[in-house]
């Protein structure tokens, strides 16, 4: 047991320092920021949960880098870099790490049409030729002809919620700290 | 040959390694399905569970929490010489079963579309509680074993102690701040980065290095060449390792001081990396004699050194913006999970088998294992190399606004096919390796019955 005491004491100190630095300090610094933009509807909140559960962040980021680092604004992905305040309204921010598909930080601004979003979810490559996104047809229901209203393929509540969330993605409000 | 062949911990140890191997196969298969789905998104008939967003995190979880972590626990159990006879054995069984059940439920949850969507913590919340309980049950006899060390801990046990101390803290803190009552949105990315980096760098990697430092001298029949350096490297590692995660926040929505601390830590991590490199070089020079166990362990050490160098280089401004958000980062994660954690676990298992069967592998098995090793390294290089190369091209394309996004995607597609081919090769290699392992262990059971 003696052999363990000193190493364990050292480890406790070092682990504690790391927790203090990367967990406690960010929580203290970033917990009371002023939000930007408009609050999300309950439907969009539900959509955010679907976005997370379906792993959309595996292929899409929601973070833009400073303009002098990467030309992301020139791709039409947004007007400015993403700042901590953009995340205030997120229950769980989904920044993403890989851009197999385009960044979605401002997709609600870029494609504000709900019908476009639904069509795209149902058959991505029919809307964006050459798209490598899988079809989310399983978020839609096929109805037998004649069963009006909403004949043919209708979105489930999950698809509607996901689109409401996508339409809420908008970081176009200019903030002073993004100028750096 | 050794107490472990007749010890009461033989069966629980085999259970940990056996289930680790099972999850390694499962992770490999899921990765393969995910990789095939990339260039051909609807190849699985548009099934919800096979959509990339579900299957990719499931594959990662099977590798990380399954193969690599259970392998790490197996290594820990063996190196620590667990305490507590029958109650210790019961704890290991209970912990191993709890861990496996948590993983099974967690993977099912992710594939059913119940992922939490928190990177590294995708399994549904109750499964993480079960996993932590499993860990605590397993850790008791392992700590008991470590506590019976002499006056000074060996290098291997020191690394093991570090990993065993970090893991529950990582999980408990991330659970408290991200999974249970989650903290404010802007405060979450630093914690996600801390947990994600910590899971590899402070849990899997130190156990992999513990295996390296434990089994290499045993197999080579000599003591460590740079023991003092290894101890210094350990403390340097534990000092800066917990800060390197913040380097993932560079240019992201986080205070600049966090990213700077992460970059500084990534550069300082070079000290422990060089300590490992020195020992690996000494092992290479003294002739690993193509002992399969040594080869796997040495390859894991080399992969760790490569990763450390990569972290050092991509911390700099010149390279970081190019590789961010590209397949390069996936290549890095795969090198960590397969190159370091899984290869070390395979090497450790090969070194442990003689302790379990009471004899060295026969010459035919040795030759087969050398071929397996060659294929594993070839597959790893193709897998990671293709992704890294594709990622580099992708990154250069993304930085040039004149290149349309769809052109960038089609640029990477050949490399994705290559990495899928590599995953197929690795899967077949693992299957036949599993067959060889079962045959070896059975032959011992058969020879025991004859007696």
């Amino acid at each position: 047991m003696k052999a363990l005491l000193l190493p364990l004491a050292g480890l406790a100190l070092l682990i504690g320092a790391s927790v203090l630095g990367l967990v406690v300090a960010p929580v203290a610094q970033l917990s009371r920021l002023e939000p930007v933009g408009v609050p999300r509807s309950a439907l969009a909140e539900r959509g955010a949960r679907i976005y997370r559960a379906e792993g959309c962040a595996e292929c899409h980021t929601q973070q833009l880098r400073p303009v002098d680092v990467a030309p992301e604004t020139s791709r039409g992905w947004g007007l400015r870099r993403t700042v901590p305040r953009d995340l205030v309204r997120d229950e769980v921010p989904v920044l993403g790490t890989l851009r197999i598909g385009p960044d979605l930080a401002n997709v609600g601004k870029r494609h504000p049409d709900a019908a476009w979003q639904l069509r795209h979810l149902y058959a991505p490559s029919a809307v964006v030729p050459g798209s490598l996104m899988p079809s989310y047809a399983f978020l839609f229901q096929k109805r037998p002809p004649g069963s009006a209203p909403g004949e043919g393929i209708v979105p489930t509540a999950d698809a509607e919620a996901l689109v409401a969330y996508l339409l809420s993605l908008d970081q176009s409000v200019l903030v002073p700290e993004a100028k750096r | 040959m050794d107490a472990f062949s007749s010890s009461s911990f033989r069966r629980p140890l085999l259970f940990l390694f056996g289930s680790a191997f099972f999850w390694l196969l499962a992770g490999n298969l899921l990765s393969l399905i995910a990789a095939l789905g990339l260039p051909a998104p609807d190849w699985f008939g548009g099934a919800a569970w096979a959509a990339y967003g579900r299957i990719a995190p499931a594959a990662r979880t099977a590798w990380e929490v399954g193969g690599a972590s259970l392998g790490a626990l197996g290594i820990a159990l063996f190196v620590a010489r667990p305490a507590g006879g029958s109650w210790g054995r019961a704890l290991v069984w209970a912990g191993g079963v709890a861990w496996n059940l948590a993983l099974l439920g967690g993977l099912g949850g992710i594939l059913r579309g119940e992922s939490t969507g928190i990177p590294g913590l995708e399994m549904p919340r109750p499964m993480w509680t079960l996993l932590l309980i499993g860990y605590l049950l397993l850790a008791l006899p392992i700590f008991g074993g470590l506590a019976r060390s002499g006056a000074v801990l060996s290098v291997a046990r020191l690394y093991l102690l570090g990993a065993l101390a970090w893991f529950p803290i990582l999980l408990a803190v991330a659970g408290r701040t991200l999974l249970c009552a989650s903290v404010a949105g802007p405060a979450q990315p630093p914690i996600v980065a801390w947990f994600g980096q910590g899971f590899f760098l402070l849990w899997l990697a130190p156990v992999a290095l513990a295996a390296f430092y434990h089994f290499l001298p045993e197999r080579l029949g000599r003591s460590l060449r740079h023991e003092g350096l290894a101890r210094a490297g350990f403390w340097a590692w534990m000092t800066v390792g917990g800060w390197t995660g913040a380097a993932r926040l560079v240019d992201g929505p986080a205070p600049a001081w966090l990213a700077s601390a992460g970059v500084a830590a990534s550069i300082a991590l070079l000290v422990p990396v060089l300590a490992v490199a020195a020992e690996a070089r000494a092992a290479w020079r003294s002739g690993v004699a193509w002992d399969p166990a040594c080869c796997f362990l040495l390859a894991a050490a080399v992969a760790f050194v490569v990763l450390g160098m990569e972290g050092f280089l991509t911390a700099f401004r010149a390279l970081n913006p190019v590789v961010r958000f590209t397949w390069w980062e996936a290549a890095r994660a795969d090198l960590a999970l397969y190159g370091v954690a899984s290869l070390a676990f395979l090497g450790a298992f090969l070194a442990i088998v003689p302790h379990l069967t009471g004899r060295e592998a026969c010459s035919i098995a040795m030759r087969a294992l050398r071929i397996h090793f060659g294929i594993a390294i070839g597959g790893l290089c193709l897998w990671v190399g293709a992704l890294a190369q594709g990622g580099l091209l992708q990154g250069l394309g993304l930085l040039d606004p004149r290149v349309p996004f769809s052109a960038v995607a089609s640029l990477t597609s050949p490399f994705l096919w290559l990495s899928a081919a590599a995953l197929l090769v690795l899967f077949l290699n693992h299957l036949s390796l599993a067959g060889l392992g079962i045959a070896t262990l059975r032959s011992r059971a058969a020879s025991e019955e004859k007696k």
Side-chain angles (χ1 to χ4, degrees), chain A residues 122 140-155:
Chain A
Y122 185 78
F140 295 77
Q141 274 179 330
K142 256 190 198 143
R143 288 209 184 146
S147 57
E151 264 180 46
I153 296 154
V154 285

Side-chain angles (χ1 to χ4, degrees), chain A residues 1 3-4 7-8 10-11 14-15 17-19 21-23 25-27 29-31 33 52-55 58-59 61 63-66 69-72 74-75 77 81-84 87-88 90-102 131-136 138, chain B residues 38-39 41-42 46 48 52-54 56-57 60 113 115-118 146-147 150-151 153 161-162 166 169 173 182 184-191 194 235 238-239 242-243 246 251-255 257-258 317 321 324-327 329 394 397-401 403-405:
Chain A
M1 196 62 208
L4 292 194
L8 275 179
L11 282 168
L14 297 175
I15 296 175
S18 156
V19 172
L22 260 56
V23 179
V27 170
Q29 188 182 355
L30 301 168
S31 280
L33 298 178
R52 297 199 296 270
E54 291 300 337
E58 292 292 326
C59 299
T61 54
Q63 51 173 329
L64 297 177
R65 289 176 282 181
V69 173
E72 284 158 358
S74 337
R75 285 195 183 277
W77 285 351
R81 69 173 294 181
T82 304
V83 296
L87 314 180
V88 173
D90 289 335
E91 196 191 337
V92 176
V94 268
L95 296 179
T97 53
L98 195 52
R99 283 182 180 154
I100 304 175
S131 167
L132 290 176
M133 179 166 143
S135 157
Y136 282 82
F138 59 83
Chain B
L38 277 169
D42 295 319
Y52 188 79
R54 288 195 194 178
R60 215 167 40 231
S115 159
T116 62
I118 305 169
L146 286 178
L153 281 181
L161 186 71
W166 265 103
I169 310 259
V173 171
S182 62
Q188 290 181 38
I191 307 175
W194 174 80
W235 288 109
M238 293 297 124
T239 308
W243 292 81
D251 297 329
W257 70 266
L258 271 170
R317 255 281 167 255
R324 268 317 268 299
F325 307 133
T326 72
W327 285 105
E329 303 208 324
Q394 182 191 10
L398 283 176
L399 283 186
D400 184 350
V403 182
F405 189 81

Side-chain angles (χ1 to χ4, degrees), chain B residues 250-286:
Chain B
V250 172
D251 297 329
W257 70 266
L258 271 170
S260 306
V263 168
S266 300
I267 293 169
L269 196 69
L270 217 52
V271 175
V273 164
L274 290 178
V276 174
E279 195 63 50
R281 184 165 168 271
W284 179 257
R285 283 200 150 183
S286 64

